[in-house]
Amino acid sequence: MKDEAGEDIAFEGALGIFVDHDKTIYVCDTDNFRVLIADQNGNVSDVWEQPDSNLYPDDLLYQPSKITITEKGYTYILILGGYYGALLYSPEHEFLGFYGSHTVTASALDTLTYLWNRLTQTDAKKAASAKKLPFSFVDLCLDSEDYVLTCTEASPDDPDNGTGQIRKLSPTGENIMFKRQTDGSSLSADSINFVEQKVVEKFGKLRKQNIVSLDVDENDFIYALDSQKGLVYVYDDECNLLCGFGGGYDNAKRIGIFDSAVALCICGTDVLVFDNDNKCITVFERTEYGNLLVQAQSAYLDGEYLTAKPLWEEINRRNKSCQLAYRGLAIAYLSEGKYEKALEYAKNGLDYTVYDLAWKAVRNKFILNNFVWIFLVVVALVGGLIAFVIIAKKKHLVLIKNEYVKTALSLPTHPFKSFEEIKTKNKGSVIIALVILLLYYLANVLQAVGSGFLATNVVVHRYNTGYTLLKTVGIVLLWTVCNWLISSSFEGKGRFKDVLIATTYSLLPYVAFIYIKVILSHVLSLSGLRILDAIGTVVLIVTFYILCIAIMSAHEFDFFRFLLTAFVSVLFMILVAFVIFVVIILLQQVGNFFTSVFTEILYR
């Protein structure tokens, strides 16, 4: 580049460049604290330096790193390490302020810590305190509608990879990127993990992934570059992952593998990735399959489901693992009125919304075609039940003669009377308690693997029955032991047997509800299941109410002593669980030690 006098202008260390539609070149001369503006021949016509404005903080060093300009002439500039957001300039190059800054999220613990520090503030504590600041943008680009998409620096404190790193900003600077969940709800992009679930190991160290560059193509698909794995992730406007390519775990010199991928750019349908260590640019061309995927998903997002159908069919033929293809075909069949096919593909694509719509249509059609028979069966059942109740009352029929079983079953309607009889007349049974506990465990297993598609998201072959055993039978037994020990120290009268019977008997309403829910989950739609979940919350409250009565009756406590012992029992449960966890870890380490010793002995 040359200035007006024809002298060369050095801009070593420049980190960003942008070419406007009129061929004007903007260079972020980072190390020299300026932006150079030149024509296509390299003649510099203007230089932007730090804005002379009260809106610009004195403590922010002006080191421009990225620049982009909208069709209307608004300019966005990123400052190296700046956490205030992007600098925004008007078409007349007037500095308007900062745009789209991240906010620091604070938990309830952070708020309490802040209040405590304010109350106990000293000069020493103030000097040692650290201020939590938002993370800065590292890249930005514009989509076809001039919305700004940004890439945010990864947080070292975040246990996840890539969470919330990509944002799409409205004119007011708010993140408007959302992901449509399979159940129809929306999830903000701030909560979405844009890379892998697990932290990878590279060069012998665990390294978090970090998206360092992004760009969009003509269809507004987002290409994001991860610097750790060297992968390029492709997302659509609804945060659906289309594919990933590239890579780089080591220093191998292979085409398409990077040592230090630092930037990417979209040129038509090609993706250009710059490798800093190898000093090269790798160009990726879109494959035929990639063209099909982009065309199909674009039509899907535009609502042209039938247009996308043959494309999805071809994609599904080539790749049976493409979840987007199943979803696209599901909604296409739904649009055609082929509801059974829509159910099949929606289930394979885990699309609960389309499955729900198709299931409603199938269910309503079945009811309409068989209404007479259904009506007669319901009338017969209701009439038979009413007649049976009337006859049973007149003839004083006793269906359940076993006093122990009768006491257990009468508990939900008469909890005080039932537990009084268990306590005074010894009508509680350990066998019945264990049967209820077994039914509770089986109910949870059945709920996970036997519920209707809309009511569960468990992958059957990955389901762990041992974990279910721990969170059902294990927790009940742990509560029984801890409450018995703690209550005994508070002069409680209940024995271990009494606490076990009281706890398990209290679970009866909830156990019955789970079995009913499993059956109804094969019939109800999503709206019906939500109502059922609300009823389930009420049943849980009733169960806790019955448990309170049961424990108070078993130990002969008043309500406040029950609350105290229950609270201490829960703390004791946490302590016991922690000790068990530590012991298991120690046993594993001891086992690994002896295994290593035994292996060494074998080799020697």
Side-chain angles (χ1 to χ4, degrees):
M1 285 187 173
K2 298 181 180 298
D3 59 15
E4 294 179 353
E7 299 292 332
D8 290 336
I9 297 179
F11 51 93
E12 292 182 1
L15 294 180
I17 187 171
F18 181 82
V19 181
D20 206 352
H21 58 84
D22 61 356
K23 307 299 182 183
T24 302
I25 303 172
Y26 298 78
V27 177
C28 292
D29 191 2
T30 311
D31 288 350
N32 293 312
F33 316 106
R34 62 188 178 180
V35 175
L36 303 174
I37 303 162
D39 59 23
Q40 56 185 328
N41 296 319
N43 298 314
V44 176
S45 59
D46 197 1
V47 177
W48 293 356
E49 296 180 336
Q50 178 173 321
D52 185 14
S53 170
N54 294 329
L55 299 174
Y56 195 91
D58 295 332
D59 61 346
L60 180 60
L61 193 62
Y62 186 76
Q63 287 186 289
S65 60
K66 305 288 181 182
I67 182 171
T68 189
I69 302 175
T70 69
E71 290 289 338
K72 295 181 179 179
Y74 288 92
T75 304
Y76 299 90
I77 300 177
L78 295 185
I79 300 298
L80 198 64
Y83 51 82
Y84 294 96
L87 277 66
L88 176 60
Y89 290 81
S90 70
E92 293 76 27
H93 297 172
E94 177 188 358
F95 177 61
L96 301 178
F98 292 91
Y99 172 82
S101 173
H102 260 295
T103 56
V104 177
T105 56
S107 62
L109 181 61
D110 293 330
T111 304
L112 292 174
T113 302
Y114 172 77
L115 293 174
W116 173 256
N117 289 337
R118 292 287 295 177
L119 292 172
T120 61
Q121 188 75 287
T122 63
D123 291 339
K125 288 182 66 176
K126 189 174 182 180
S129 63
K131 187 177 181 181
K132 193 175 182 180
L133 299 174
F135 289 94
S136 60
F137 298 144
V138 292
D139 200 4
L140 81 168
C141 62
L142 301 172
D143 66 7
S144 61
E145 297 179 339
D146 274 350
Y147 282 104
V148 178
L149 286 96
T150 64
C151 171
T152 309
E153 180 184 1
S155 168
D157 300 325
D158 191 348
D160 298 323
N161 283 320
T163 302
Q165 277 199 271
I166 299 177
R167 307 171 77 212
K168 182 177 181 179
L169 305 180
S170 69
T172 59
E174 297 295 324
N175 186 13
I176 58 173
M177 181 177 284
F178 291 88
K179 178 179 178 63
R180 183 179 70 84
Q181 301 287 78
T182 53
D183 61 357
S185 61
S186 295
L187 179 67
S188 171
D190 291 332
S191 304
I192 296 173
N193 186 343
F194 285 98
V195 287
E196 308 298 325
Q197 295 295 329
K198 296 181 179 179
V199 180
V200 299
E201 183 175 344
K202 185 176 181 181
F203 305 138
K205 294 182 179 179
L206 290 175
R207 299 178 184 270
K208 291 186 57 180
Q209 290 181 262
N210 185 20
I211 297 175
V212 295
S213 183
L214 81 165
D215 203 354
V216 296
D217 63 12
E218 57 186 4
N219 297 302
D220 286 339
F221 289 106
I222 305 166
Y223 295 72
L225 175 65
D226 162 50
S227 61
Q228 288 296 335
K229 272 194 169 185
L231 285 171
V232 178
Y233 297 90
V234 185
Y235 286 90
D236 66 14
D237 193 52
E238 292 186 351
C239 299
N240 296 305
L241 179 64
L242 272 70
C243 64
F245 56 89
Y249 285 98
D250 49 33
N251 292 315
K253 308 299 181 184
R254 289 175 287 171
I255 296 177
I257 301 297
F258 316 113
D259 287 348
S260 177
V262 294
L264 67 76
C265 179
I266 305 299
C267 183
T269 60
D270 295 340
V271 182
L272 286 66
V273 180
F274 176 62
D275 189 336
N276 188 52
D277 286 357
N278 290 327
K279 300 295 186 293
C280 67
I281 296 176
T282 304
V283 181
F284 293 92
E285 294 181 352
R286 187 183 292 169
T287 63
E288 182 183 354
Y289 176 82
N291 286 327
L292 282 172
L293 191 59
V294 169
Q295 293 172 20
Q297 187 65 3
S298 297
Y300 173 84
L301 294 175
D302 292 337
E304 299 174 359
Y305 307 124
L306 298 181
T307 302
K309 182 183 175 183
L311 301 174
W312 288 128
E313 288 175 337
E314 178 62 20
I315 292 170
N316 185 252
R317 186 186 67 81
R318 297 187 182 197
N319 180 9
K320 293 296 183 182
S321 300
C322 182
Q323 195 175 59
L324 292 178
Y326 288 111
R327 293 182 184 179
L329 289 171
I331 199 167
Y333 283 120
L334 180 69
S335 302
E336 292 178 336
K338 299 177 180 178
Y339 302 117
E340 288 78 8
K341 296 286 288 184
L343 286 174
E344 176 188 347
Y345 281 94
K347 188 172 184 178
N348 289 330
L350 299 179
D351 194 328
Y352 292 85
T353 304
V354 174
Y355 189 95
D356 182 49
L357 295 172
W359 172 241
K360 286 179 182 177
V362 171
R363 185 187 61 186
N364 293 342
K365 181 180 178 181
F366 176 81
I367 294 174
L368 185 63
N369 293 337
N370 300 276
F371 178 76
V372 175
W373 295 106
I374 294 173
F375 178 76
L376 291 176
V377 169
V378 171
V379 170
L381 289 175
V382 173
L385 182 62
I386 293 173
F388 176 79
V389 171
I390 293 174
I391 294 172
K393 283 189 174 182
K394 284 185 177 181
K395 295 188 175 183
H396 302 288
L397 295 177
V398 179
L399 300 177
I400 302 173
K401 296 182 180 180
N402 188 294
E403 292 295 328
Y404 294 99
V405 177
K406 187 187 297 185
T407 301
L409 295 179
S410 64
L411 185 146
T413 54
H414 303 90
F416 286 99
K417 180 181 176 182
S418 298
F419 283 117
E420 183 65 26
E421 290 183 350
I422 290 172
K423 181 68 176 177
T424 58
K425 299 180 181 180
N426 197 26
K427 289 188 177 182
S429 170
V430 175
I431 295 177
I432 293 177
L434 295 177
V435 170
I436 294 173
L437 192 56
L438 176 62
L439 291 174
Y440 178 47
Y441 166 68
L442 294 177
N444 280 268
V445 173
L446 187 62
Q447 184 179 25
V449 301
S451 296
F453 173 73
L454 294 174
T456 182
N457 57 1
V458 174
V459 180
V460 177
H461 66 272
R462 295 180 182 175
Y463 178 68
N464 189 344
T465 56
Y467 174 72
T468 303
L469 183 68
L470 286 177
K471 75 175 187 178
T472 53
V473 177
I475 289 180
V476 169
L477 294 179
L478 182 61
W479 158 264
T480 301
V481 172
C482 293
N483 183 262
W484 170 57
L485 292 174
I486 296 299
S487 299
S488 298
S489 62
F490 281 82
E491 300 180 355
K493 308 295 187 204
R495 298 164 296 176
F496 176 82
K497 166 187 171 182
D498 299 328
V499 180
L500 177 64
I501 291 173
T503 303
T504 52
Y505 277 34
S506 302
L507 292 173
L508 264 176
Y510 186 60
V511 172
F513 172 78
I514 293 177
Y515 284 104
I516 294 172
K517 182 180 178 181
V518 170
I519 296 172
L520 293 179
S521 67
H522 294 274
V523 180
L524 296 177
S525 61
L526 280 176
S527 57
L529 289 173
R530 292 190 182 102
I531 295 174
L532 202 61
D533 288 337
I535 296 174
T537 303
V538 176
V539 173
L540 272 175
I541 295 173
V542 172
T543 300
F544 178 74
Y545 169 71
I546 295 174
L547 179 64
C548 295
I549 298 172
I551 298 300
M552 285 191 295
S553 175
H555 294 299
E556 298 181 12
F557 282 163
D558 57 24
F559 181 68
F560 294 104
R561 181 169 290 192
F562 159 74
L563 285 181
L564 177 61
T565 54
F567 177 73
V568 177
S569 298
V570 171
L571 294 180
F572 190 39
M573 288 173 65
I574 296 172
L575 178 61
V576 172
F578 175 75
V579 171
I580 293 174
F581 179 71
V582 171
V583 170
I584 291 174
I585 292 178
L586 290 175
L587 290 176
Q588 286 179 340
Q589 291 178 346
V590 171
N592 292 336
F593 170 75
F594 283 111
T595 301
S596 301
V597 172
F598 181 72
T599 303
E600 289 293 332
I601 293 173
L602 287 179
Y603 279 117
R604 294 176 186 277

